[in-house]
């Protein structure tokens, strides 16, 4: 069967190297539980010997994600953090990393509390500010770590521009592509070196598996990462690899529907008097709206919004019915989360405030519900608020 390249992205989600098992004709990838493989020759071992090093089911997922990201090699890990942490093992003592200032809380934690113990330095910068990025470069800068759109403020970083600065400085560019997936954004085609994923989110899409992926294009880098994956050993189990493969088949349709709904909900929130601000790269009011349309096929299905105060937020959360209130994103069901207490709890309040992650901020990952049901739900939850909307309108000098 043909691989990626011959078909459109949508078709290659289904019609790929893993479409049919060559031995049995099975149209679902077989789950190979074996941890070890019999060797038929003393002098010549087979392709598979031990499942930490290589396993056929995990390999199927690794091939699919490599093709979808237009890389040469994929790696599957036991979580997004395992993928990210293993990629950071490419660094050595004395190296320096430059990161987006509102990176995922777990990434913030490993960089500030673990890598520092191994003598790896870091600087957080607002990556939307290219001159600030240039100023942060040191002679020992080895990695530029981008999350775009970022979490939870949906800031958009110019992947091409940062990758160019990285190349000028003999450094690598890592991109956490969890929010957009290769359906919308392909960092390797924009000059990045390593693409990272929490496959727990949109790639699998059903809130039923924790998984991570990494993809590279360069063969030497692929060898290094393969060595680290096997050395560190945080590989993905076969049942979970199968679940990610299953979820990937519907990635495109899930995203398409969720984006349509996210745009509608973002506009609704933007017009609501109890909403202070909406962060969504699909809104024309987003400061990097144009960049987002240039480097990605769509704005994704995650948005954040700030309510006018914490009291309104608490009241809204107590009344809202449809979304689950939980950590995580990228699922068939809509998920509301509270970054200050969830994804960014690893950051101190001071660090959060520096980054604009206030206690009035909520993040919404839009699922597959009818968006009008979500809008009705939000309307009721905000209207039943202890606040009189007209009074707030007056207090805010007639804004909105
Ligand atoms: C969830 C998430 C991670 C971490 O992934 P896990 O699978 O939870 O380990 C990393 N980056 C982003 C953007 C995420 O949303």
């Amino acid at each position: 069967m043909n691989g990626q390249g011959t078909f459109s992205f949508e078709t290659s989600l289904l019609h790929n190297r893993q479409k049919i098992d060559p031995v049995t004709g099975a149209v679902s990838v077989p789950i190979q539980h074996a941890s070890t493989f019999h060797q038929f020759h003393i002098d010549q071992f087979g392709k598979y010997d031990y499942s930490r090093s290589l396993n056929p089911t995990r390999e199927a997922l690794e091939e699919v994600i490599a093709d979808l990201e237009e890389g040469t090699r994929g790696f599957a890990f036991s979580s997004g953090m395992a993928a990210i942490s293993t990629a950071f093992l490419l660094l050595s003592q004395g190296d320096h990393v430059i990161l987006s200032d509102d990176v995922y809380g777990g990434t913030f934690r490993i960089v500030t509390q673990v890598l520092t113990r191994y003598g790896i330095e870091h600087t957080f910068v607002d990556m939307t500010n290219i001159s600030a990025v240039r100023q942060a470069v040191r002679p020992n800068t080895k990695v530029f770590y981008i999350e775009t759109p970022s979490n939870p403020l949906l800031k958009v970083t110019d992947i091409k521009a940062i990758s160019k600065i990285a190349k000028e400085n003999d450094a690598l560019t890592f991109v956490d592509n969890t929010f957009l997936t290769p359906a919308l954004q392909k960092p390797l085609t924009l000059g990045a070196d390593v693409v990272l994923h929490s496959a727990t989110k949109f790639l699998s899409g059903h809130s039923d598996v924790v998984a991570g992926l990494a993809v590279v294009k360069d063969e030497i880098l692929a060898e290094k990462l393969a060595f680290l994956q096997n050395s560190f050993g945080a590989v993905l189990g076969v049942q979970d690899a199968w679940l990610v493969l299953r979820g990937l088949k519907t990635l495109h349709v899930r995203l398409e529907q969720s984006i349509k709904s996210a745009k509608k909900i973002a506009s609704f929130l933007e017009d609501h008097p109890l909403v202070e601000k909406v962060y969504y790269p699909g809104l024309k009011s987003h400061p990097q709206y144009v960049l987002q349309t240039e480097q990605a096929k769509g704005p994704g299905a995650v948005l954040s919004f700030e309510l006018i105060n914490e009291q309104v937020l608490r009241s809204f959360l107590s009344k809202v019915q449809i979304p689950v209130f939980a950590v995580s994103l990228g699922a068939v069901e809509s998920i509301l989360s509270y970054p200050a207490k969830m994804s960014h709890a690893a950051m101190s309040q001071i660090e959060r405030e520096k980054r604009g992650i206030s206690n009035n901020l909520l993040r919404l990952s839009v699922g597959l519900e009818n968006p009008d049901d979500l809008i009705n739900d939000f309307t009721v939850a905000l209207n039943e608020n202890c606040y009189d909307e007209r009074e707030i309108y007056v207090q805010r000098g007639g804004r909105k």
Side-chain angles (χ1 to χ4, degrees), residues 79-81 84 104 147 151 176 178-179 198 200-201 210-211 329:
S79 68
M81 281 320 302
I84 292 165
Y104 177 73
E147 215 180 289
N151 185 11
D176 182 332
T178 300
F179 272 36
S198 170
T200 312
K201 317 293 169 54
V210 173
L329 56 101

Side-chain angles (χ1 to χ4, degrees), residues 65-71 177 181-182 185-188 195 197 215:
I65 193 64
D67 286 346
L68 294 177
E69 286 284 8
E70 297 190 36
N177 204 26
T181 83
Q185 175 170 278
K186 294 184 179 175
L188 296 176
V195 174
H197 280 286
V215 185

Side-chain angles (χ1 to χ4, degrees), residues 170-190:
D170 274 331
L172 297 173
T173 305
F174 291 6
V175 178
D176 182 332
N177 204 26
T178 300
F179 272 36
L180 294 187
T181 83
L184 303 173
Q185 175 170 278
K186 294 184 179 175
L188 296 176
T189 67
L190 299 168

Side-chain angles (χ1 to χ4, degrees), residues 254-268 280 300-301 303 334 364 366-372 374-375:
R254 282 186 285 108
L255 269 172
E256 194 169 77
Q257 181 58 40
S258 291
I259 291 170
K260 231 168 42 187
S261 301
K263 285 182 177 170
K264 203 166 175 182
I265 293 165
S267 300
F268 158 78
Y280 182 56
L303 58 96
S334 290
L364 176 70
V366 181
L368 300 182
E369 302 89 350
N370 183 322
D372 295 332
L374 283 162
I375 288 173

Side-chain angles (χ1 to χ4, degrees), residues 61 80 84 130 147 167 188 202 225 292 336 339 346 357 368 378:
L61 171 61
I84 292 165
I130 298 292
E147 215 180 289
K167 285 197 174 65
L188 296 176
F202 289 102
L225 213 48
Q292 179 66 19
L336 251 182
I357 305 166
L368 300 182
F378 289 5

Side-chain angles (χ1 to χ4, degrees), residues 28 47 72 81 85-86 110 149 153 171 262 283 302 328 331:
S28 170
K47 178 178 177 187
T72 57
M81 281 320 302
S85 306
T86 305
I110 187 163
L153 295 178
L283 285 173
V302 179
S328 200

